[in-house]
Amino acid sequence: MKTNRRCRALLAVSLNLMALLFSTTAFITTHWCEGTQRVPKPNCGKDKKTNCLNYSGNETVNETNQNVVHYSWETGDDRFLFRYFHTGIWYSCEENIDAAGEKCRSFIDLAPASEKGVLWLSVVSEVLYITLLVVGFSLMCLELFHSSNVIDGLKLNAFAAVFTVLSGLLGMVAHMMYTQVFQVTVSLGPEDWRPHSWDYGWSFCLAWGSFTCCMAASVTTLNSYTKTVIEFRHKRKIFEQGFREEQTFLDQEAIKYFRERSVQSVSESVEVFVDSTASLRKSEISPTSVDLGGV
């Protein structure tokens, strides 16, 4: 029983630790959503000759002359660049067309004013989700390494399961609220940021993987609690049943003993009475015999 309970506790601790690592990584990274943004190509110049608009085939056209009419043979999507972007809870980073690297800006500033409250509520829920995961992980570790009493272990199991379930619910709500805010921002966000195409990234997968591990840890903890209670009650029932049978056997033995003792005492009493009666009769007969002899 103790070995099985320890194995279940170790599994719950491992799942909770994975959920904690996944949620923390997802919270601080910027790959919840990623895709491409369509931006107009800049004009070609002396320093830029690729991924730009070349008017009339002349790369050194004088852009300061307003009287010159410029022509470009590029039409449709050829006039645009598709730059890569990725977004997290805190920042949205985009590929820098003019230089190497990326440029980032706050996603909270990009979100529409009507969704900022929901976004902040999502952030608070994520923080509470991670905090409750830490509390549940601490209780599980305490139950695994420092609890030798079964009753204390059951209490720690119950509290760990409650905190883990609450953290999972908060995490689910936080993920759904962020997804809603991002979808609204795609439609109503700034013109220069709106994605042309997008999909969920690996941070989003880590977030929901964390939720899955969290719920698995809570189910394992509840299962451990339930099995321990059932096994404890079963052993108690067997003990009480054996005690009752032993008590019944002892009662029967006691009754048999006292019955034999009572029969034996009655027999001894009868024998003593018979002996005393016989002695009395002999004592009464002896003087008569003596008198007859004298005559």
Side-chain angles (χ1 to χ4, degrees):
M1 175 180 173
K2 187 174 181 180
T3 304
N4 293 333
R5 186 165 65 91
R6 190 175 182 85
C7 291
R8 290 193 295 267
L10 185 61
L11 177 61
V13 168
S14 302
L15 290 171
N16 196 298
L17 180 61
M18 289 179 61
L20 183 59
L21 292 176
F22 286 172
S23 61
T24 305
T25 304
F27 186 67
I28 62 177
T29 53
T30 59
H31 287 268
W32 283 66
C33 300
E34 53 189 21
T36 57
Q37 297 170 332
R38 191 174 70 168
V39 295
K41 287 182 179 180
N43 296 335
C44 293
K46 295 180 179 179
D47 299 329
K48 189 172 184 63
K49 298 182 180 180
T50 58
N51 292 328
C52 58
L53 292 176
N54 183 12
Y55 292 99
S56 303
N58 186 6
E59 298 179 355
T60 60
V61 64
N62 185 8
E63 298 180 359
T64 60
N65 191 352
Q66 301 296 329
N67 297 323
V68 177
V69 179
H70 303 291
Y71 297 96
S72 175
W73 299 103
E74 296 182 7
T75 58
D77 287 341
D78 293 336
R79 298 176 58 86
F80 297 92
L81 289 176
F82 294 90
R83 64 181 180 188
Y84 171 77
F85 83 100
H86 52 92
T87 304
I89 294 178
W90 300 103
Y91 293 101
S92 175
C93 297
E94 307 151 6
E95 181 183 359
N96 195 347
I97 299 176
D98 299 327
E102 296 179 335
K103 57 180 181 179
C104 299
R105 40 184 169 172
S106 174
F107 182 73
I108 298 175
D109 295 335
L110 295 173
S114 60
E115 299 297 321
K116 288 185 185 294
V118 180
L119 182 58
W120 277 112
L121 188 60
S122 172
V123 171
V124 172
S125 299
E126 288 285 350
V127 173
L128 289 176
Y129 169 51
I130 296 174
T131 303
L132 290 177
L133 277 178
V134 172
V135 174
F137 178 73
S138 302
L139 291 174
M140 290 179 186
C141 290
L142 190 63
E143 189 269 335
L144 181 62
F145 297 109
H146 298 286
S147 177
S148 57
N149 191 351
V150 177
I151 303 301
D152 293 339
L154 287 176
K155 291 178 181 179
L156 291 172
N157 249 335
F159 281 110
V162 169
F163 280 111
T164 309
V165 169
L166 288 178
S167 66
L169 294 176
L170 278 173
M172 178 184 67
V173 172
H175 304 342
M176 294 176 66
M177 285 192 295
Y178 175 80
T179 305
Q180 174 190 346
V181 171
F182 181 82
Q183 291 175 352
V184 173
T185 307
V186 168
S187 302
L188 304 178
E191 290 285 346
D192 62 338
W193 179 86
R194 294 180 188 176
H196 178 259
S197 62
W198 63 275
D199 201 353
Y200 297 108
W202 57 265
S203 296
F204 185 83
C205 297
L206 278 182
W208 283 106
S210 170
F211 168 76
T212 304
C213 292
C214 174
M215 298 309 294
S218 64
V219 170
T220 305
T221 306
L222 286 174
N223 179 263
S224 177
Y225 173 82
T226 306
K227 282 191 174 183
T228 304
V229 170
I230 292 174
E231 291 174 359
F232 185 76
R233 288 180 178 176
H234 180 66
K235 287 195 172 186
R236 182 179 178 182
K237 184 178 180 180
I238 292 176
F239 174 76
E240 291 178 350
Q241 184 177 358
F243 180 77
R244 285 196 298 267
E245 291 177 355
E246 184 179 357
Q247 188 69 26
T248 304
F249 177 75
L250 291 176
D251 292 342
Q252 291 177 355
E253 289 291 327
I255 293 171
K256 183 178 179 182
Y257 172 77
F258 286 116
R259 184 179 297 170
E260 291 176 354
R261 290 291 297 175
S262 62
V263 171
Q264 185 179 359
S265 62
V266 170
S267 300
E268 291 176 354
S269 300
V270 170
E271 290 177 358
V272 169
F273 178 75
V274 171
D275 292 341
S276 62
T277 304
S279 299
L280 183 60
R281 285 181 180 179
K282 286 181 181 180
S283 62
E284 291 177 352
I285 293 173
S286 294
T288 307
S289 301
V290 171
D291 290 339
L292 288 175
V295 175

